[in-house]
Amino acid sequence: MLNAPRPLSLAARLHEDLRALIARTPPGERLPSEPQLAKTLAVSRATLREAMRTFETEGLIHRRQGVGTFVAQPPTVMTSGLEVLESIHTLAARMGMTMRLGEYEIDTRPPTPAEAARLDMGSSRNVVQVSWVMQADDRPVAYLVDTLPEDVLDPQRLQRDFTGSVLDLMVQSGQVALTTSDTTINAVAATPQIAKALGIQRRDVLLYFEALLYTREGRAVDYSYSYYLPGYFNFHVVRRVGKATP
């Protein structure tokens, strides 16, 4: 005798109903308001909001504060391995995608104690910090920050030539020979500042990269951290199988 299928949990049913609603709504159209949706789907507004976060980070909907929730065009997903460090621009160009530079800020200042501990300041008394937003499909999809000693990359050149990649400028300048990046990857909740920059809700889940970039001589010359909308990026790693323990 076949076992009867288990009934869906409330969360699973809600996700199925929302996915179906999004699928049958044309891109650019607004979904019903949260109170209407919560009533129709027989859930609380808090439960509905949590479910909507999933679809926003997948790039299927876009919530605009005070305006409503809109169905988005299916996102163009950037897929890349992590074995080689490359800029978003380089990855996008290889895939035939278009990434655009959004709002950005370049600031020269003394390093914080934490930055001075991470970076090998060399002869520099100041760091240059660049923070910027990258856009795809007419919306922000990544927020990035790079901090480096000012002797690593001429601040004037950075002001003049920056188009969305500190890494590419460092490679092109030839001032330092870059070799390795020590990177950690986590899932984090968006802070109010990051949520505003990316046009999402506070506490939405993002991919978070934190890295130190080293020269051939072992000097740490760039500390960076970056946030990515999961629905627009698919990162993977090729791994070898290790030997079994006897």
mmCIF file of all heavy atoms in Angstrom, residues 134-150:
data_model
loop_
_atom_site.group_PDB
_atom_site.id
_atom_site.type_symbol
_atom_site.label_atom_id
_atom_site.label_comp_id
_atom_site.label_asym_id
_atom_site.label_seq_id
_atom_site.Cartn_x
_atom_site.Cartn_y
_atom_site.Cartn_z
ATOM 1 N N MET A 134 27.009 47.999 -7.734
ATOM 2 C CA MET A 134 26.959 47.518 -9.107
ATOM 3 C C MET A 134 25.516 47.167 -9.450
ATOM 4 O O MET A 134 24.773 46.639 -8.607
ATOM 5 C CB MET A 134 27.856 46.293 -9.287
ATOM 6 C CG MET A 134 29.328 46.582 -9.124
ATOM 7 S SD MET A 134 29.986 47.831 -10.270
ATOM 8 C CE MET A 134 29.783 46.984 -11.840
ATOM 9 N N GLN A 135 25.140 47.484 -10.689
ATOM 10 C CA GLN A 135 23.762 47.280 -11.119
ATOM 11 C C GLN A 135 23.692 46.305 -12.289
ATOM 12 O O GLN A 135 24.585 46.257 -13.131
ATOM 13 C CB GLN A 135 23.125 48.605 -11.529
ATOM 14 C CG GLN A 135 23.025 49.613 -10.408
ATOM 15 C CD GLN A 135 22.369 50.900 -10.841
ATOM 16 O OE1 GLN A 135 22.448 51.288 -12.012
ATOM 17 N NE2 GLN A 135 21.709 51.579 -9.910
ATOM 18 N N ALA A 136 22.613 45.541 -12.329
ATOM 19 C CA ALA A 136 22.293 44.668 -13.454
ATOM 20 C C ALA A 136 20.778 44.620 -13.565
ATOM 21 O O ALA A 136 20.068 44.706 -12.556
ATOM 22 C CB ALA A 136 22.855 43.262 -13.250
ATOM 23 N N ASP A 137 20.295 44.488 -14.801
ATOM 24 C CA ASP A 137 18.837 44.428 -15.002
ATOM 25 C C ASP A 137 18.133 45.620 -14.364
ATOM 26 O O ASP A 137 17.051 45.494 -13.778
ATOM 27 C CB ASP A 137 18.263 43.124 -14.429
ATOM 28 C CG ASP A 137 18.806 41.883 -15.128
ATOM 29 O OD1 ASP A 137 19.272 42.009 -16.275
ATOM 30 O OD2 ASP A 137 18.776 40.802 -14.521
ATOM 31 N N ASP A 138 18.788 46.803 -14.444
ATOM 32 C CA ASP A 138 18.196 48.054 -13.961
ATOM 33 C C ASP A 138 17.936 48.069 -12.457
ATOM 34 O O ASP A 138 17.026 48.755 -11.982
ATOM 35 C CB ASP A 138 16.884 48.354 -14.701
ATOM 36 C CG ASP A 138 17.114 48.579 -16.183
ATOM 37 O OD1 ASP A 138 18.120 49.218 -16.529
ATOM 38 O OD2 ASP A 138 16.295 48.104 -16.993
ATOM 39 N N ARG A 139 18.748 47.320 -11.702
ATOM 40 C CA ARG A 139 18.607 47.385 -10.243
ATOM 41 C C ARG A 139 19.931 47.071 -9.577
ATOM 42 O O ARG A 139 20.792 46.409 -10.155
ATOM 43 C CB ARG A 139 17.527 46.424 -9.758
ATOM 44 C CG ARG A 139 17.846 44.953 -9.914
ATOM 45 C CD ARG A 139 17.112 44.148 -8.858
ATOM 46 N NE ARG A 139 17.487 44.582 -7.520
ATOM 47 C CZ ARG A 139 16.810 44.286 -6.417
ATOM 48 N NH1 ARG A 139 15.735 43.553 -6.504
ATOM 49 N NH2 ARG A 139 17.221 44.715 -5.243
ATOM 50 N N PRO A 140 20.155 47.559 -8.339
ATOM 51 C CA PRO A 140 21.391 47.245 -7.621
ATOM 52 C C PRO A 140 21.433 45.763 -7.271
ATOM 53 O O PRO A 140 20.440 45.191 -6.808
ATOM 54 C CB PRO A 140 21.294 48.097 -6.347
ATOM 55 C CG PRO A 140 20.218 49.089 -6.600
ATOM 56 C CD PRO A 140 19.277 48.456 -7.559
ATOM 57 N N VAL A 141 22.596 45.125 -7.490
ATOM 58 C CA VAL A 141 22.723 43.703 -7.184
ATOM 59 C C VAL A 141 23.932 43.392 -6.302
ATOM 60 O O VAL A 141 24.058 42.282 -5.791
ATOM 61 C CB VAL A 141 22.805 42.851 -8.472
ATOM 62 C CG1 VAL A 141 21.516 42.968 -9.279
ATOM 63 C CG2 VAL A 141 24.015 43.238 -9.317
ATOM 64 N N ALA A 142 24.832 44.360 -6.114
ATOM 65 C CA ALA A 142 26.009 44.118 -5.273
ATOM 66 C C ALA A 142 26.491 45.436 -4.677
ATOM 67 O O ALA A 142 26.402 46.493 -5.320
ATOM 68 C CB ALA A 142 27.137 43.478 -6.083
ATOM 69 N N TYR A 143 26.993 45.353 -3.449
ATOM 70 C CA TYR A 143 27.580 46.506 -2.771
ATOM 71 C C TYR A 143 28.975 46.095 -2.323
ATOM 72 O O TYR A 143 29.141 45.076 -1.645
ATOM 73 C CB TYR A 143 26.738 46.917 -1.565
ATOM 74 C CG TYR A 143 27.288 48.106 -0.808
ATOM 75 C CD1 TYR A 143 27.029 49.402 -1.235
ATOM 76 C CD2 TYR A 143 28.056 47.931 0.342
ATOM 77 C CE1 TYR A 143 27.532 50.499 -0.544
ATOM 78 C CE2 TYR A 143 28.562 49.023 1.039
ATOM 79 C CZ TYR A 143 28.294 50.301 0.587
ATOM 80 O OH TYR A 143 28.794 51.394 1.270
ATOM 81 N N LEU A 144 30.000 46.870 -2.732
ATOM 82 C CA LEU A 144 31.380 46.474 -2.506
ATOM 83 C C LEU A 144 32.180 47.603 -1.863
ATOM 84 O O LEU A 144 31.945 48.783 -2.152
ATOM 85 C CB LEU A 144 32.048 46.076 -3.832
ATOM 86 C CG LEU A 144 31.308 45.052 -4.690
ATOM 87 C CD1 LEU A 144 30.472 45.759 -5.759
ATOM 88 C CD2 LEU A 144 32.254 44.075 -5.348
ATOM 89 N N VAL A 145 33.136 47.220 -1.017
ATOM 90 C CA VAL A 145 34.018 48.185 -0.357
ATOM 91 C C VAL A 145 35.441 47.645 -0.408
ATOM 92 O O VAL A 145 35.685 46.497 -0.030
ATOM 93 C CB VAL A 145 33.611 48.418 1.106
ATOM 94 C CG1 VAL A 145 34.567 49.412 1.764
ATOM 95 C CG2 VAL A 145 32.175 48.930 1.205
ATOM 96 N N ASP A 146 36.381 48.466 -0.904
ATOM 97 C CA ASP A 146 37.806 48.128 -0.897
ATOM 98 C C ASP A 146 38.560 49.197 -0.125
ATOM 99 O O ASP A 146 38.306 50.391 -0.312
ATOM 100 C CB ASP A 146 38.369 48.069 -2.323
ATOM 101 C CG ASP A 146 38.154 46.721 -2.972
ATOM 102 O OD1 ASP A 146 36.992 46.381 -3.277
ATOM 103 O OD2 ASP A 146 39.134 46.006 -3.195
ATOM 104 N N THR A 147 39.493 48.774 0.718
ATOM 105 C CA THR A 147 40.333 49.703 1.481
ATOM 106 C C THR A 147 41.781 49.305 1.279
ATOM 107 O O THR A 147 42.141 48.141 1.486
ATOM 108 C CB THR A 147 39.984 49.651 2.981
ATOM 109 O OG1 THR A 147 38.574 49.898 3.146
ATOM 110 C CG2 THR A 147 40.775 50.688 3.752
ATOM 111 N N LEU A 148 42.631 50.256 0.860
ATOM 112 C CA LEU A 148 44.022 49.941 0.561
ATOM 113 C C LEU A 148 44.930 51.114 0.919
ATOM 114 O O LEU A 148 44.496 52.269 0.908
ATOM 115 C CB LEU A 148 44.194 49.580 -0.912
ATOM 116 C CG LEU A 148 43.697 50.567 -1.971
ATOM 117 C CD1 LEU A 148 44.442 50.329 -3.281
ATOM 118 C CD2 LEU A 148 42.204 50.379 -2.241
ATOM 119 N N PRO A 149 46.204 50.836 1.264
ATOM 120 C CA PRO A 149 47.149 51.927 1.522
ATOM 121 C C PRO A 149 47.288 52.803 0.281
ATOM 122 O O PRO A 149 47.270 52.304 -0.855
ATOM 123 C CB PRO A 149 48.459 51.190 1.833
ATOM 124 C CG PRO A 149 48.033 49.829 2.285
ATOM 125 C CD PRO A 149 46.814 49.509 1.477
ATOM 126 N N GLU A 150 47.449 54.109 0.491
ATOM 127 C CA GLU A 150 47.445 55.012 -0.651
ATOM 128 C C GLU A 150 48.655 54.847 -1.561
ATOM 129 O O GLU A 150 48.620 55.309 -2.712
ATOM 130 C CB GLU A 150 47.336 56.468 -0.183
ATOM 131 C CG GLU A 150 48.485 56.943 0.689
ATOM 132 C CD GLU A 150 48.292 58.368 1.173
ATOM 133 O OE1 GLU A 150 47.424 59.072 0.627
ATOM 134 O OE2 GLU A 150 49.011 58.771 2.104
#
